Amino acid sequence: MKHSNSSQRSDQNGKLNKDNNRTLEHHFNQLKQENYDSTFPDIESWIYKTSVNLHTNKKLAQTNERTLHKMKNFFFGSKLRLVYTIVAFAVIIGACNMPVTQTESAGKMITLVIAKDNGDFQSKMNELPWIKNAQVTANENTNNGEVQMLYRVILPNATKDEVIAYANELEKLGNVITIRITPMDYDIKRPLYSAALHDFFSIDVDATGKNDEELKNEIESKLREQGVDMKFRFTTGPDGRREIRLDNEGQIDVNKEPKSFEMNIEDNNGKEHIRFKTQKADPKQFEGKSDPEIREMVRKDLGKNDLKDSDIIIERNGKDVKVKVDLEEKEVK
Amino acid sequence: MTIDSAKFSGLLQPHYNDALKYSRALCATWSPDDAEDVLQQSFLLALENFGSLRDHSKFRSWFFKIITTTFYSSIRKHFWKKFLPTDAERSGVHSMPEIFDRSVQSENRIVLDKALSGISAKERSALLLFELGNFSIEEITAIQGEKSISAVKSRLSRARAKLRKIIEKEENSLSRMGESSWELNGDLENETLKLITEIRPER
């Protein structure tokens, strides 16, 4: 009985399948009856025109298509690569925001101890010209029964050489028991991208409609805000083009300036673009190098292989090497 | 190297009708414009690569393979299409003339299109290559870029089963609509076609 039921079911299934197959066949037959032959002449003539056009535009089309395709396929070609790309972006953003520790200098401090009965030490010290820029504190101290004066002279903007010279001047005033120079360094944490930008700044100035004096004042004031003390001279030629010259060039050591900077001046309604750039260099990088080697380093560093030897001025003073690059670049649009 | 368009057209002509039927059915519920875009891109690719086809006796399977891969990529391209110029604009060629029928389709065709769009692109392509292209399983395996013949066999069988199921469901729902109290005046066939046009999903 069971067998007969199952055989009946199988017959029914077979009949159903046949019906279903017939349905599919019926639909596909209708599809097969469609006829597009009448459109062939139109397509043939389109193919002819297209083949001529394709031949002309093939290279251009291929370049565009391949570039776009490569980019698209690279980023979206596979799900795995898309994930890698997102992870890579996340890592880059993460890395840029990763805090790094930098040591910054708040200045230098001269600590000196003198006997309390030091005559006119304090009045002599007050006469020193640089003392106006320093913060001075004085404390009385007793050491082995002897009353002493402890002076702390804080110099926020002085360089190491200047501080040594000031310490020598103080020592010469007399009665100094001990004198010590202490750098006042502190550690600061900042994101990596901020650290990269910290030692460099850029100022943009629109010089259109400003006379030479106004331009000079604006630029010098902007640089002073960033701790850079440079004096410039602007002159406008008969053709209306402006020249920029560093006025206190001989007194300035770019390496002593706190930051490297770039100055972009748009002039004459954007027709002229003056760019002035300073770049700090590691003073030790020129040690033991010959003049041709230094010139090669400068060309490579600036990416200007066409710089003439006369444009790179090298001044030697014992072990000290001073390199000045006379590079005049004007972009006239 | 110039493209030998006469030779290309000569090789295309015997397979033209089947290729167009295959192409249109692949893009089942797509608009005629979108289906023509796929076909046009296939023609452009075929013309560009015609020089690399050494054995001209394999033109048919080569051209069907191009249509198939173009169709696959046009599914992926759908998002990019909004931002990019059309392939014709990019290649600096004129648009292909209109080929596909823009008039109202028959009830059977609408049901089949709906059923075809209900199965996956690969299943649809395998089934249509078999039914319309008359390709063998081995040839379909090569056209679809598969390594295993059995994978294509099971794909075909799966596609048939799904297609049957969807057609059955569609036909049942159509017959239920016929049994409802809607009033159909005049020519029954015309009224039904009108009704189908109204309820037909837009792509």
Side-chain angles (χ1 to χ4, degrees):
Chain A
M1 191 67 181
K2 203 176 179 181
H3 173 74
S4 126
N5 265 348
S6 143
S7 129
Q8 207 177 349
R9 205 160 160 184
S10 151
D11 286 348
Q12 279 174 348
N13 279 345
K15 200 181 167 192
L16 257 176
N17 275 342
K18 267 184 194 170
D19 285 348
N20 283 335
N21 278 340
R22 240 179 272 144
T23 315
L24 269 188
E25 228 172 83
H26 170 67
H27 279 93
F28 279 122
N29 278 340
Q30 282 205 332
L31 205 60
K32 283 174 192 170
Q33 278 163 23
E34 284 178 4
N35 197 322
Y36 294 99
D37 280 336
S38 61
T39 61
F40 186 74
D42 288 345
I43 290 297
E44 194 179 18
S45 101
W46 176 79
I47 284 171
Y48 173 74
K49 282 181 208 159
T50 304
S51 65
V52 174
N53 266 340
L54 268 184
H55 180 65
T56 322
N57 299 319
K58 198 171 181 179
K59 277 185 187 168
L60 181 70
Q62 269 176 348
T63 317
N64 291 343
E65 175 118 354
R66 299 284 178 269
T67 315
L68 204 69
H69 229 75
K70 268 185 202 166
M71 278 174 64
K72 195 185 80 185
N73 282 347
F74 178 77
F75 289 113
F76 298 100
S78 79
K79 281 180 188 165
L80 195 65
R81 208 175 296 140
L82 180 63
V83 172
Y84 281 149
T85 309
I86 292 167
V87 170
F89 277 129
V91 169
I92 291 166
I93 292 164
C96 285
N97 284 295
M98 191 185 75
V100 290
T101 306
Q102 282 190 310
T103 303
E104 294 227 324
S105 172
K108 290 177 180 61
M109 182 169 68
I110 302 170
T111 315
L112 69 149
V113 178
I114 54 168
K116 198 186 174 190
D117 305 324
N118 54 51
D120 53 353
F121 181 88
Q122 183 136 1
S123 57
K124 280 182 191 169
M125 188 171 72
N126 288 340
E127 283 169 17
L128 292 169
W130 50 265
I131 208 83
K132 288 177 284 186
N133 302 323
Q135 296 165 24
V136 184
T137 58
N139 291 309
E140 211 175 275
N141 208 8
T142 308
N143 189 7
N144 292 332
E146 193 188 342
V147 184
Q148 297 172 334
M149 288 300 291
L150 172 71
Y151 285 96
R152 287 193 182 93
V153 182
I154 297 167
L155 298 145
N157 295 320
T159 63
K160 190 182 165 187
D161 292 342
E162 285 169 341
V163 175
I164 291 170
Y166 297 161
N168 287 336
E169 283 182 42
L170 287 171
E171 209 171 0
K172 279 176 194 165
L173 295 178
N175 299 325
V176 175
I177 300 168
T178 58
I179 187 159
R180 202 170 64 229
I181 299 170
T182 320
M184 297 193 303
D185 291 342
Y186 63 97
D187 287 343
I188 186 165
K189 271 191 177 185
R190 53 164 64 97
L192 186 59
Y193 69 88
S194 164
L197 293 173
H198 187 70
D199 290 331
F200 180 83
F201 70 92
S202 171
I203 59 168
D204 297 311
V205 180
D206 184 3
T208 311
K210 287 175 190 154
N211 66 32
D212 293 342
E213 193 59 27
E214 284 170 335
L215 186 57
K216 170 190 158 72
N217 291 339
E218 184 178 343
I219 285 171
E220 286 178 0
S221 129
K222 280 193 174 179
L223 288 174
R224 259 198 311 278
E225 282 169 19
Q226 298 285 344
V228 176
D229 188 22
M230 282 190 180
K231 304 276 180 252
F232 291 95
R233 183 159 30 100
F234 285 91
T235 46
T236 307
D239 55 353
R241 283 173 63 184
R242 228 182 296 237
E243 296 280 342
I244 179 171
R245 285 276 173 269
L246 192 56
D247 223 12
N248 52 347
E249 189 182 1
Q251 304 151 25
I252 284 177
D253 183 351
V254 172
N255 289 326
K256 281 183 186 171
E257 289 297 331
K259 293 170 181 179
S260 297
F261 69 91
E262 186 184 66
M263 189 161 74
N264 295 302
I265 306 166
E266 288 287 339
D267 208 353
N268 292 329
N269 291 318
K271 281 183 194 155
E272 203 177 343
H273 186 182
I274 305 170
R275 186 176 290 154
F276 185 94
K277 195 174 177 182
T278 67
Q279 195 167 340
K280 275 181 160 185
D282 178 3
K284 285 183 182 171
Q285 69 177 320
F286 298 132
E287 269 179 20
K289 296 273 192 305
S290 67
D291 286 6
E293 281 175 326
I294 291 175
R295 287 198 173 95
E296 207 42 53
M297 283 168 73
V298 171
R299 285 189 188 103
K300 205 173 168 187
D301 201 28
L302 294 174
K304 296 211 166 285
N305 292 325
D306 54 343
L307 269 179
K308 292 177 204 155
D309 281 359
S310 57
D311 293 336
I312 306 166
I313 300 147
I314 301 166
E315 290 167 15
R316 289 181 186 271
N317 182 11
K319 275 188 177 180
D320 292 339
V321 182
K322 192 174 172 187
V323 181
K324 189 186 148 200
V325 183
D326 209 356
L327 176 66
E328 194 169 293
E329 243 186 320
K330 282 203 190 84
E331 190 184 322
V332 181
K333 292 177 189 171
Chain B
M1 197 177 79
T2 51
I3 302 159
D4 190 346
S5 65
K7 199 165 200 172
F8 179 83
S9 299
L11 288 168
L12 173 69
Q13 194 169 18
H15 315 292
Y16 176 77
N17 198 32
D18 287 346
L20 261 70
K21 281 190 277 189
Y22 171 65
S23 181
R24 184 66 191 101
L26 261 185
C27 309
T29 52
W30 294 19
S31 71
D33 286 335
D34 286 340
E36 277 161 5
D37 277 351
V38 172
L39 189 65
Q40 175 175 289
Q41 184 58 14
S42 306
F43 277 134
L44 289 173
L45 276 174
L47 279 168
E48 276 181 347
N49 297 297
F50 185 52
S52 62
L53 177 70
R54 297 205 177 140
D55 186 356
H56 287 178
S57 66
K58 289 182 179 164
F59 181 88
R60 183 179 170 87
S61 58
W62 174 78
F63 187 55
F64 272 74
K65 186 172 186 168
I66 288 177
I67 297 175
T68 310
T69 48
T70 309
F71 168 66
Y72 289 162
S73 66
S74 69
I75 297 171
R76 290 197 298 268
K77 262 185 194 169
H78 211 72
F79 172 79
W80 292 92
K81 217 177 157 182
K82 293 169 195 166
F83 308 103
L84 299 175
T86 62
D87 295 312
E89 281 166 3
R90 216 160 52 225
S91 316
V93 297
H94 301 290
S95 284
M96 196 179 73
E98 285 184 2
I99 301 170
F100 296 127
D101 195 5
R102 269 131 175 103
S103 61
V104 179
Q105 304 273 4
S106 70
E107 182 189 330
N108 271 336
R109 184 59 205 266
I110 291 165
V111 169
L112 182 64
D113 280 354
K114 205 165 180 190
L116 283 170
S117 66
I119 60 177
S120 78
K122 282 193 172 178
E123 287 169 346
R124 198 185 315 166
S125 145
L127 192 61
L128 292 170
L129 284 168
F130 189 82
E131 293 290 343
L132 297 176
N134 291 318
F135 286 106
S136 66
I137 306 279
E138 288 80 6
E139 285 170 320
I140 296 170
T141 309
I143 289 172
Q144 292 202 318
E146 297 289 348
K147 284 175 187 164
S148 144
I149 291 176
S150 57
V152 174
K153 272 186 188 168
S154 58
R155 183 175 290 160
L156 266 172
S157 138
R158 224 175 19 246
R160 280 180 186 286
K162 281 187 191 171
L163 205 68
R164 266 189 230 117
K165 213 172 173 181
I166 302 170
I167 288 175
E168 203 179 324
K169 200 177 155 192
E170 286 299 316
E171 285 181 339
N172 282 344
S173 70
L174 275 176
S175 60
R176 269 202 305 276
M177 273 167 54
E179 287 162 12
S180 68
S181 58
W182 294 356
E183 270 188 35
L184 296 172
N185 300 317
D187 181 355
L188 185 65
E189 195 182 353
N190 276 341
E191 290 298 327
T192 314
L193 281 176
K194 234 192 269 173
L195 199 61
I196 287 165
T197 317
E198 278 170 26
I199 60 166
R200 184 183 172 192
E202 284 296 317
R203 202 186 149 257

